Amino acid sequence: MKVIRSPKEFQHRMRLLRRRGSSIGFVPTMGALHEGHLRLVRRACAENDTVVVSIFVNPTQFGPGEDYKKYPRRMRDDLKKLRREKVDYVFEPTASAMVPKKSSHPVRWETSREFHRLAGVLCGKYRPGHFRGVAAIVAKLFYLAQPHRVYFGAKDYQQTAIVRRLISDLDLDIAFRLVPTVREGDGLAMSSRNAYLSPAERARALSLSRVLFVLRREIRAGRRGIAVLRQDAISTLRRRVDRLQYLEIVDAETLRPVSRRGRKCVALAACYVGQTRLIDNVIIPG
Ligand code: AMP
């Protein structure tokens, strides 16, 4: 497994591989790898000749006062895990190599991808600029890696909608692979941020997935309307977590709120438990 830090060298290597006819599967991450990330890596290994994982805590997707500084960084551990999975390349650039102006806030891009609606709803309402930062770095990583296939987790559903849109708007020749959310035995969605939770908070955090599972079951059963079910879920969750930011039921593609069951939809929520912001979602087939 080769670890590359320089964007230019990385781009050069990837270009050579492509020329030799090797298919490239790419998994972008922010490190502190857990089983959720590894599921993406395994899928990439099964479908490609060469597997590339990037580890980069993207400063441009964190807002002021968010956890950029304290975000867990476990490079040694991460490399060990990736070696075990037989990953071929790890791209681990520095912030100054990836963003125009070091890692300070606000980072200014002269060139950026703007999203007119997708990035302003759900998490975008509470994290202004977040998806602009995600899209800028994801686009840059795609240009550098020149992958045939990219792997993203359903855990960050809004991000997947945005990356898909980026690929289709720019006609990038990249196949998008959505990998289902990997959960702990009790249902909590795996996340690098779960490490922030105390045992008592960990227990309360469980209500997020529980409420979403109930909601999915009820929507599928179709006995009660979506608006009523949503209100019930909101009331339950409000009692159990510290701050509920949103709970919405939206069309799986457009992310517009739905009021009736029809096309595939997604129920998503974001809340705080203590100081930790958690997100989760469930996909409900049409
Ligand atoms: P992150 O390191 O949090 O930026 O995540 C990197 C990739 O792993 C993203 O595509 C995430 O959606 C995905 N991911 C993170 N947690 C999970 C999980 N529990 N299940 C599936 N994919 C995940």
Side-chain angles (χ1 to χ4, degrees):
M1 187 175 84
K2 184 157 175 57
V3 181
I4 302 180
R5 303 198 77 189
S6 143
K8 279 283 164 225
E9 185 193 341
F10 178 55
Q11 189 174 46
H12 178 67
R13 286 268 176 166
M14 296 302 116
R15 196 175 292 150
L16 285 182
L17 282 167
R18 234 185 196 263
R19 254 189 231 145
R20 282 188 213 133
S22 177
S23 61
I24 301 172
F26 179 45
V27 184
T29 81
M30 298 208 300
L33 303 179
H34 50 67
E35 195 53 34
H37 297 109
L38 298 182
R39 198 70 64 86
L40 273 60
V41 169
R42 283 178 206 136
R43 176 98 185 264
C45 288
E47 296 179 352
N48 301 276
D49 303 320
T50 303
V51 172
V52 182
V53 176
S54 65
I55 300 181
F56 179 59
V57 184
N58 170 17
T60 68
Q61 73 183 61
F62 289 80
E66 288 189 356
D67 57 343
Y68 175 63
K69 286 230 166 79
K70 77 165 187 182
Y71 196 83
R73 286 157 173 92
R74 310 220 175 87
M75 192 52 68
R76 203 148 20 115
D77 237 38
D78 289 350
L79 293 181
K80 215 188 282 172
K81 288 177 182 163
L82 296 177
R83 222 168 260 129
R84 226 179 282 143
E85 299 297 333
K86 306 217 175 342
V87 163
D88 301 283
Y89 291 92
V90 174
F91 178 48
E92 190 228 335
T94 59
S96 55
M98 288 299 279
V99 296
K101 193 177 145 247
K102 296 252 155 125
S103 54
S104 56
H105 291 293
V107 179
R108 293 193 183 284
W109 296 85
E110 282 295 328
T111 322
S112 75
R113 294 284 320 149
E114 287 296 339
F115 288 86
H116 296 289
R117 198 184 47 80
L118 284 182
V121 298
L122 307 167
C123 284
K125 259 195 206 159
Y126 299 90
R127 303 186 74 188
H130 168 69
F131 289 112
R132 188 186 312 133
V134 169
I137 287 297
V138 165
K140 189 154 176 165
L141 288 169
F142 285 180
Y143 290 132
L144 294 172
Q146 303 153 65
H148 294 87
R149 299 180 188 87
V150 292
Y151 297 81
F152 284 82
K155 160 82 186 352
D156 299 272
Y157 192 86
Q158 189 173 7
Q159 172 173 278
T160 68
I162 283 170
V163 173
R164 278 183 149 150
R165 198 50 204 257
L166 179 107
I167 291 173
S168 85
D169 279 4
L170 300 182
D171 270 334
L172 301 180
D173 190 14
I174 294 175
F176 181 93
R177 296 281 196 264
L178 179 73
V179 179
T181 301
V182 179
R183 297 177 181 281
E184 304 284 357
D186 58 7
L188 181 72
M190 289 189 184
S191 161
S192 306
R193 288 191 170 96
N194 290 350
Y196 300 152
L197 298 167
S198 70
E201 288 169 347
R202 167 73 179 71
R204 278 195 303 133
L206 207 50
S207 18
L208 179 56
S209 54
R210 294 228 165 117
V211 164
L212 289 172
F213 293 161
V214 171
L215 188 57
R216 177 175 55 193
R217 199 175 60 224
E218 292 289 321
I219 291 176
R220 294 185 82 161
R223 284 185 297 268
R224 297 162 71 210
I226 286 205
V228 180
L229 292 173
R230 174 171 169 263
Q231 276 314 323
D232 275 4
I234 288 176
S235 322
T236 312
L237 209 48
R238 278 221 176 102
R239 284 198 298 273
R240 297 188 188 152
V241 300
D242 293 314
R243 187 156 33 108
L244 177 65
Q245 286 190 326
Y246 67 81
L247 186 151
E248 298 282 354
I249 302 157
V250 302
D251 180 273
E253 202 175 308
T254 64
L255 304 187
R256 285 187 202 282
V258 295
S259 50
R260 247 176 299 130
R261 192 153 174 232
R263 279 153 51 98
K264 184 159 111 175
C265 62
V266 191
L268 312 91
C271 65
Y272 274 88
V273 175
Q275 299 297 309
T276 308
R277 185 175 185 275
L278 300 170
I279 56 170
D280 199 354
N281 68 79
V282 289
I283 299 173
I284 302 142

